[in-house]
Amino acid sequence: MAGVLKSSTGKSKINLSNKKFAIIVAEWNEEITGALYEGAFNGLISLGVKKINVIKKNVPGSFELPLAAKWMADKKDIDAVICIGCVIQGDTPHFDYICQAVAQGIMDVNLSSGKPVAFGVLTVLTKKQALERAGGKLGNKGEEAAVTVVKMLEIKP
Ligand code: RBF
């Protein structure tokens, strides 16, 4: 797992048992996003988050992630949001528009909500590259997104 986040016990430095998380999962390329979701969910649990405190919401595609992230971040009881998606380059410029919009949209929700919103979105040229990052030889970027939001909660004033 990336990031030097865990204490020696393997749990977070803060008490996560009362923290609530939303994981938003895009249905496009669902073989990949399903694996990223598993990584994110299991990552949160291994850090000390309670299963009952993790909400999952599906959206059609990655383009829909920022709005759903805003809806979740606007909820008082949600502490952090993880966005999961996979955009694979096709034959048209759609890839660039979607990636740009999603990255900017998720950043906007971070800043407007003041809550951590992770960019767990693969932007890859091939399905092979996606598989390598969704539990393959390059790890699981969903799990890294879980580590990221917890790390941000740890430093939140
Ligand atoms: N959504 C993804 O999450 N990953 C993709 O690779 C992806 N490719 C798309 C390619 C085209 C040509 C179009 C029209 C949409 C694609 N979408 C993809 C869906 C997009 O995120 C969104 O759901 C739709 O554009 C509807 O707003």
Side-chain angles (χ1 to χ4, degrees):
M1 183 185 297
V4 187
L5 173 67
K6 292 173 162 188
S7 70
S8 54
T9 63
K11 298 289 180 194
S12 171
K13 287 176 266 176
I14 57 171
N15 178 13
L16 291 172
S17 65
N18 57 353
K19 301 278 188 215
K20 272 190 123 173
F21 297 80
I23 306 179
I24 307 169
V25 185
E27 290 170 341
W28 263 75
N29 302 311
E30 66 181 351
E31 177 189 350
I32 307 293
T33 60
L36 294 171
Y37 166 76
E38 293 295 326
F41 181 83
N42 292 333
L44 289 177
I45 302 309
S46 72
L47 286 163
V49 176
K50 287 186 176 163
K51 284 184 184 177
I52 196 171
N53 286 334
V54 183
I55 297 168
K56 178 180 185 245
K57 298 283 182 192
N58 287 340
V59 292
S62 294
F63 191 78
E64 284 69 43
L65 287 169
L67 179 56
K70 177 176 162 40
W71 287 336
M72 290 297 110
D74 282 349
K75 287 166 78 84
K76 248 188 155 170
D77 61 335
I78 295 289
D79 294 286
V81 179
I82 297 172
C83 295
I84 297 293
C86 173
V87 193
I88 302 178
Q89 189 170 41
D91 297 331
T92 69
H94 249 87
F95 177 80
D96 301 310
Y97 290 112
I98 292 175
C99 294
Q100 169 61 29
V102 175
Q104 188 63 56
I106 291 175
M107 176 52 77
D108 288 349
V109 183
N110 271 278
L111 300 179
S112 65
S113 70
K115 294 178 182 179
V117 183
F119 182 72
V121 181
L122 299 181
T123 59
V124 291
L125 306 181
T126 63
K127 184 176 175 187
K128 179 171 175 281
Q129 288 181 338
L131 288 167
E132 287 170 352
R133 291 158 177 79
K137 69 178 184 188
L138 295 175
N140 187 311
K141 301 300 173 188
E143 187 181 9
E144 292 179 20
V147 172
T148 297
V149 290
V150 169
K151 187 167 186 175
M152 291 303 285
L153 289 176
E154 289 184 344
I155 65 164
K156 191 176 178 189

